[in-house]
Amino acid sequence: MAMILLVEDDRIITAALTRALTDAGHVVRPVGQAAQALKIVTQERPDLVILDLGLPDIDGTDALRMMRTVSDVPVIVATARRSEADIIALLSAGADDYVTKPFSGGHILARISAVLRRARTTIEQQPNTITVGELVIKPRQRRVELRGEPLQLTRREFDVLAYLAERVGQVISRRELMNQVWQQARIGEEQTIDVHISWLRRKLGETAAKPRFLHTVRGVGVMMVDPQ
């Protein structure tokens, strides 16, 4: 059983999907606007989101990008768009899977099962704790402490920090961070990486001129170092 956030403004589709998901044992939280969905994702932490793209307040793709800045909840996009370019754009924006309308209840249930299974496997593969000097990272709880004090990180900041901490002493390129953390293969997005590294340094109490944990290797990338 999973708590599923259903973001769909068509009442007929909402009713049919809610019935199919409930019959399968899931708890369904239906909403009709992206703004409501973003609030619920942040406050109630659903297990999975089914996101329609044709929402009345915010374009579904934009809503997906916003969602990805605050949560790594699995998202299945429901769309009438069928072109390869549209599907690639959705996956690049952070969708875990998609279904094209119209689709059956059995089809969406199979997709939900597959996505939840992948999400559980990913969590199980994460280490319980990563320790780098006075920095303690708990990937499964998505918590970070420095000298015993909690650090408040955004989703992306946490993901970047955890990725680097699992590879202490290795120089990680910006391209690798974009591919593995953002799960995108964009070219010319170095500034995005640099901004997140800068924010992390500030929260870690260091600067680019006087690094402790995050060392820039000019022209190559960034490396996590144990300062002790």
Side-chain angles (χ1 to χ4, degrees):
M1 183 181 74
M3 196 282 231
I4 297 177
L5 174 60
L6 173 59
V7 192
E8 170 65 67
D9 67 326
D10 186 307
R11 293 183 179 181
I12 296 176
I13 295 175
T14 296
L17 273 177
T18 299
R19 184 167 53 253
L21 296 173
T22 302
D23 288 347
H26 298 299
V27 175
V28 183
R29 182 80 153 82
V31 297
Q33 295 188 337
Q36 294 174 291
L38 290 167
K39 184 177 180 180
I40 292 170
V41 163
T42 303
Q43 296 180 352
E44 301 183 25
R45 299 181 179 275
D47 297 305
L48 182 138
V49 177
I50 299 174
L51 177 65
D52 176 50
L53 295 186
L55 300 172
D57 57 340
I58 302 173
D59 177 76
T61 304
D62 292 334
L64 175 59
R65 292 194 181 98
M66 294 177 191
M67 205 172 286
R68 279 289 167 254
T69 66
V70 297
S71 174
D72 56 359
V73 60
V75 177
I76 298 176
V77 169
T79 177
R81 305 171 192 177
R82 296 174 179 270
S83 75
E84 182 179 9
D86 285 334
I87 299 305
I88 290 173
L90 289 171
L91 296 173
S92 296
D96 294 271
D97 201 351
Y98 69 94
V99 290
T100 54
K101 296 180 178 180
F103 52 83
S104 67
H107 186 171
I108 190 67
L109 286 170
R111 295 295 182 110
I112 289 169
S113 295
V115 169
L116 289 175
R117 186 166 55 249
R118 289 198 300 268
R120 283 194 295 269
T121 300
T122 299
I123 291 172
E124 290 168 358
Q125 290 174 342
Q126 292 177 332
N128 288 322
T129 304
I130 305 169
T131 302
V132 183
E134 298 174 310
L135 185 67
V136 178
I137 303 169
K138 299 180 179 180
R140 297 189 184 187
Q141 291 79 37
R142 299 187 69 82
R143 293 181 58 189
V144 180
E145 294 179 358
L146 180 60
R147 304 184 194 92
E149 296 295 325
L151 293 184
Q152 300 300 319
L153 304 181
T154 66
R155 174 180 177 270
R156 286 298 188 207
E157 288 169 355
F158 180 90
D159 290 344
V160 170
L161 185 66
Y163 191 84
L164 294 173
E166 288 182 326
R167 296 159 180 80
V168 170
Q170 299 179 35
V171 180
I172 306 300
S173 70
R174 292 178 177 85
R175 175 67 61 83
E176 181 176 342
L177 284 173
M178 184 59 68
N179 287 340
Q180 299 300 320
V181 177
W182 271 259
Q183 297 185 343
Q184 297 178 12
R186 294 181 182 178
I187 298 174
E189 292 286 346
E190 290 84 358
Q191 186 176 4
T192 298
I193 303 296
D194 292 342
V195 167
H196 281 79
I197 295 295
S198 177
W199 289 341
L200 277 171
R201 282 195 169 118
R202 189 178 306 128
K203 293 180 179 181
L204 292 170
E206 62 180 59
T207 65
K210 294 183 178 180
R212 294 185 68 243
F213 294 98
L214 302 178
H215 291 246
T216 298
V217 179
R218 190 175 299 278
V220 183
V222 64
M223 177 172 61
M224 171 73 82
V225 171
D226 187 339
Q228 296 184 345

